[in-house]
């Protein structure tokens, strides 16, 4: 499976010998990279909706990217189901419906009910548990053909990072909501620099590290172990801040 | 008694030319989504306007009514995975037009077949290169501009990294592909993060369809000669060009030792993007929009 994952290089790069040596040491797992990309994409989608005039093309492209990552994660068996006790509203956070994301501003202004969209709203999460179950069933009913959705509903997940996604999303939304727009920009100006570093890691390394990296990826289980996580973190100094925000610590 | 309105005789004072644009006609209320293209038909009586999901046909004289000729809005918006990105009429055949999509496809439609052109006459798509596949593949395949050649025999499309020329008679792949800035391929994650990957560049043909031009970053723009297969990178910036000076070709250093006049990829200014360019229909005069400046260049006159 991971061999296939290697061919679908997410972050392809040019030949760089120096990069290879550094890469073997510093590269985060493919899963971590993919998770970071997924988190980044979800944040972008969330920000799309905060705009007065959301760009539909951009939203659709990002949503397709999210769907692609989620599908691959499902196929690889790395998709983590959250604790079912926290209700389905958290699941909806993960599975993004294009309908939610790509409504035009006019349709939103007309006040059409957007199933699942309200789960992004912290206030909503806070109170109506009843509404959330309604929302969940509404969202489920409008998405019957989505195999991805049904897979998630069926999957059990006893793994340790089952709460990862929920926690990271909550952190993002809390951060976004508690801060004013200027701070949000500051938040992302930090992300800018760090993602340039992430970029060199993500783009340069996968293609070059033939022996070391391939072995490394094959030994990684789908549930990334705490040991590998901490190794990655200690090596990615400048990414620590971002990694902590976006990925389970 | 004489009626004097002015305390003194009015005087004519020379002033700078002021250009004020006033709308002559407004064609309103036909689009729900952002309009990305307008294209005048060769009959000079009609034109079309395209938004993310629909294309409407207008008559110049009728401002309160339009015909919807393309509608790709799904009944369930959550099934939406593709939008219209650009559209243009054929230069000679007033019933033919093309539109491009965010999935890198081009559809050629004939309005004679049906009122609503939901079924294309031709469908242009290049098969994906599996060795270049990544999570960004779809985004960079999204077509930002589509232009018919002046001859009407070819169409040119611009996606994030390339310009492609298609023969109308061959739907399964382009006949020519030009790399605009392939050195960005390894930077796609950064460009996704800072949203540059969503930049929409235009492309243009010269009058004889022998040269194509498109913009890039760092105020660079590129020209490709389809016959000689030579290409050049030029820069539109005030610091580097005085009026009547000849533009010096620029080069981006992609690895290894950087030569003296080259610029490294990491030094490129991604806020200086040339999205809009135009080429005079018959002369070698080009217009290039760089941030808030408009540059007009022409062939050097001996």
């Amino acid at each position: 499976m991971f061999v296939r994952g290697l061919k679908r290089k997410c972050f392809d790069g040019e030949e760089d010998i120096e990069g290879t040596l550094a890469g073997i040491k510093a590269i985060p797992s493919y899963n971590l990279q993919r998770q970071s990309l997924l988190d980044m994409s979800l944040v972008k989608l969330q920000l799309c909706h905060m705009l007065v005039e959301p760009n539909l093309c951009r939203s659709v492209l990002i949503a397709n990217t999210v769907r692609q990552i989620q599908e691959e994660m499902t196929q690889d068996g790395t998709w983590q189901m959250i604790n079912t006790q926290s209700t389905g509203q958290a699941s909806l956070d993960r599975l993004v419906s294009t309908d939610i994301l790509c409504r035009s501003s006019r349709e939103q202004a007309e006040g059409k009910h957007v199933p699942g969209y309200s789960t992004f709203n912290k206030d909503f999460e806070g109170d109506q548990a009843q509404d959330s179950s309604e929302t969940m069933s509404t969202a489920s009913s409008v998405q019957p053909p989505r195999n991805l959705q049904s897979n998630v509903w069926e999957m059990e997940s006893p793994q340790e990072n089952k709460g990862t996604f929920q926690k990271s999303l909550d952190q993002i939304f809390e951060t976004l909501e508690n801060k004013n727009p200027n701070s949000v920009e500051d938040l992302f100006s930090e992300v800018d620099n760090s993602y340039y570093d992430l970029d060199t890691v993500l783009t340069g390394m996968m293609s070059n590290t033939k022996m070391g990296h391939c072995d490394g990826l094959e030994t990684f289980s789908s549930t990334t172990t705490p040991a590998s996580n901490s190794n990655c973190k200690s090596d990615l100094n400048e990414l620590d801040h971002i990694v902590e925000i976006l990925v389970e610590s | 008694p004489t009626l004097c309105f002015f305390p003194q005789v009015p005087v004519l004072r020379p002033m700078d030319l002021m250009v004020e644009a006033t709308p002559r006609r407004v064609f309103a209320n036909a689009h729900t989504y952002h309009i990305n293209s307008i294209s005048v038909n060769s009959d000079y009586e009609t034109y079309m306007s395209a938004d993310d999901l629909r294309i409407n046909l207008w008559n110049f004289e009728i401002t309160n009514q339009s015909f919807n000729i393309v509608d790709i809005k799904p009944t369930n918006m959550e099934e939406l995975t593709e939008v219209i990105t650009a559209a243009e009429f054929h230069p000679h055949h007033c019933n033919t037009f093309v539109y491009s999509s965010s999935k890198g496809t081009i559809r050629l439609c004939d309005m004679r077949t049906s009122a609503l052109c939901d079924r294309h006459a031709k469908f242009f798509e290049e098969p994906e290169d599996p060795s270049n596949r990544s999570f960004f593949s779809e985004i960079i395949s999204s077509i930002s501009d589509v232009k018919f050649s002046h001859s009407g025999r070819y169409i040119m499309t611009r996606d994030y990294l390339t310009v492609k020329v298609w023969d109308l008679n061959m739907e399964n792949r382009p006949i020519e592909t030009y790399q605009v800035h392939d050195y960005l391929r390894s930077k796609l994650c950064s460009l996704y993060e800072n949203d540059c990957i969503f930049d929409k560049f235009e492309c243009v043909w010269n009058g004889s369809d022998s040269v194509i031009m498109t913009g890039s970053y760092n105020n660079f723009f590129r020209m490709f000669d389809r016959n000689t297969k030579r290409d050049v990178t030029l820069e539109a910036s005030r610091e580097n060009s005085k009026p009547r000076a000849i533009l010096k070709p620029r080069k981006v250093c992609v690895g290894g030792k950087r030569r003296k006049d080259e610029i490294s990829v990491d030094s490129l200014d991604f806020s200086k993007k040339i999205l809009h360019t135009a080429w005079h229909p018959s002369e070698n005069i080009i217009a290039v929009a760089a941030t808030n400046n408009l540059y007009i260049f022409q062939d050097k006159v001996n």
Side-chain angles (χ1 to χ4, degrees), chain A residues 8-10 14 41 44 53-54 56 58 60 62 64 68 97-99 104 107 142 191-192 199 203, chain B residues 33-34 52 77-78 80-81 83 102 133-135 138-139 186-187 189-190 192-193 195 198 200 254:
Chain A
R8 296 182 60 186
K9 291 175 203 165
C10 176
E14 56 214 298
S41 303
K44 280 183 179 298
E53 293 245 354
L56 184 63
R58 185 168 168 274
V60 166
I62 298 174
N64 289 349
Q68 212 182 320
S97 161
T98 315
D99 179 34
S104 72
E107 286 178 26
V142 300
V191 174
D192 274 350
D199 201 47
T203 60
Chain B
Y33 302 95
H34 293 151
D52 293 320
M77 271 297 272
E78 67 185 36
L80 179 70
T81 57
V83 300
S102 56
R133 176 118 180 76
S134 77
F135 286 120
E138 184 182 315
I139 298 178
S186 59
K187 307 279 181 196
C189 197
S190 283
Y192 178 68
E193 194 279 323
D195 278 350
F198 301 106
K200 295 190 190 294
V254 294

Side-chain angles (χ1 to χ4, degrees), chain A residues 16 44 122 132 179 181 185 192 211-212 214 225-226 235 240:
Chain A
D16 185 356
K44 280 183 179 298
K122 271 295 245 191
S132 70
K179 296 194 175 193
E185 281 174 291
D192 274 350
M211 79 149 192
C214 285
T225 62
D235 291 332
D240 272 356

Side-chain angles (χ1 to χ4, degrees), chain A:
Chain A
M1 266 201 198
F2 280 101
V3 174
R4 191 188 71 213
L6 267 183
K7 278 190 180 159
R8 296 182 60 186
K9 291 175 203 165
C10 176
F11 311 99
D12 211 345
E14 56 214 298
E15 299 301 302
D16 185 356
I17 295 182
E18 286 177 17
T20 306
L21 295 174
I24 292 175
K25 188 180 170 196
I27 183 170
S29 70
Y30 176 78
N31 286 347
L32 192 63
Q33 297 167 16
R34 187 173 58 185
Q35 183 71 47
S36 299
L37 182 63
L38 179 59
D39 294 339
M40 188 198 330
S41 303
L42 288 171
V43 170
K44 280 183 179 298
L45 284 173
Q46 174 65 1
L47 290 181
C48 272
H49 269 279
M50 290 160 82
L51 293 175
V52 174
E53 293 245 354
N55 184 329
L56 184 63
C57 181
R58 185 168 168 274
S59 302
V60 166
L61 288 173
I62 298 174
N64 289 349
T65 306
V66 166
R67 205 175 290 120
Q68 212 182 320
I69 297 174
Q70 290 172 339
E71 279 170 9
E72 188 181 282
M73 287 172 81
T74 306
Q75 286 168 16
D76 287 350
T78 56
W79 187 256
Q80 304 297 338
M81 180 66 173
I82 55 127
N83 189 330
T84 48
Q85 279 187 353
S86 56
T87 77
Q89 57 187 148
S91 303
L92 289 169
D93 286 336
R94 294 145 177 62
L95 293 175
V96 175
S97 161
T98 315
D99 179 34
I100 294 168
L101 302 163
C102 298
R103 281 174 181 270
S104 72
S105 53
R106 181 199 273 195
E107 286 178 26
Q108 284 178 16
E110 287 168 11
K112 291 187 181 175
H113 174 61
V114 185
Y117 179 64
S118 43
T119 61
F120 287 124
N121 187 332
K122 271 295 245 191
D123 297 336
F124 178 85
E125 278 179 39
D127 9 345
Q128 300 95 10
Q130 222 178 358
D131 285 1
S132 70
S133 58
E134 265 178 27
T135 306
M136 178 175 80
S137 54
T138 309
S140 305
S141 64
V142 300
Q143 298 174 25
R146 290 187 164 272
N147 296 328
L148 188 59
Q149 180 103 6
S150 53
N151 283 348
V152 173
W153 297 130
E154 289 160 22
M155 276 171 66
E156 297 294 334
S157 156
Q159 286 84 355
E160 76 224 350
N161 42 352
K162 59 188 174 182
T164 297
F165 209 173
Q166 170 63 6
K167 223 161 113 184
S168 58
L169 273 179
D170 278 353
Q171 284 170 352
I172 292 171
F173 299 139
E174 186 175 352
T175 312
L176 290 175
E177 286 189 47
N178 291 343
K179 296 194 175 193
N180 57 39
N182 289 337
S183 301
V184 170
E185 281 174 291
D186 291 342
L187 176 70
F188 278 88
S189 60
E190 288 178 281
V191 174
D192 274 350
N193 298 331
S194 300
Y195 269 105
Y196 259 99
D197 298 324
L198 183 65
D199 201 47
T200 46
V201 171
L202 297 176
T203 60
M205 306 312 131
M206 297 245 355
S207 58
N208 304 324
T209 58
K210 293 170 183 121
M211 79 149 192
H213 182 59
C214 285
D215 292 352
L217 255 196
E218 281 160 14
T219 60
F220 281 140
S221 64
S222 56
T223 65
T224 48
T225 62
S228 65
N229 272 343
S230 58
N231 282 342
C232 294
K233 280 215 186 60
S234 61
D235 291 332
L236 302 170
N237 293 326
E238 293 185 278
L239 289 175
D240 272 356
H241 178 62
I242 302 307
V243 170
E244 278 165 16
I245 289 176
L246 294 180
V247 180
E248 178 248 344
S249 54

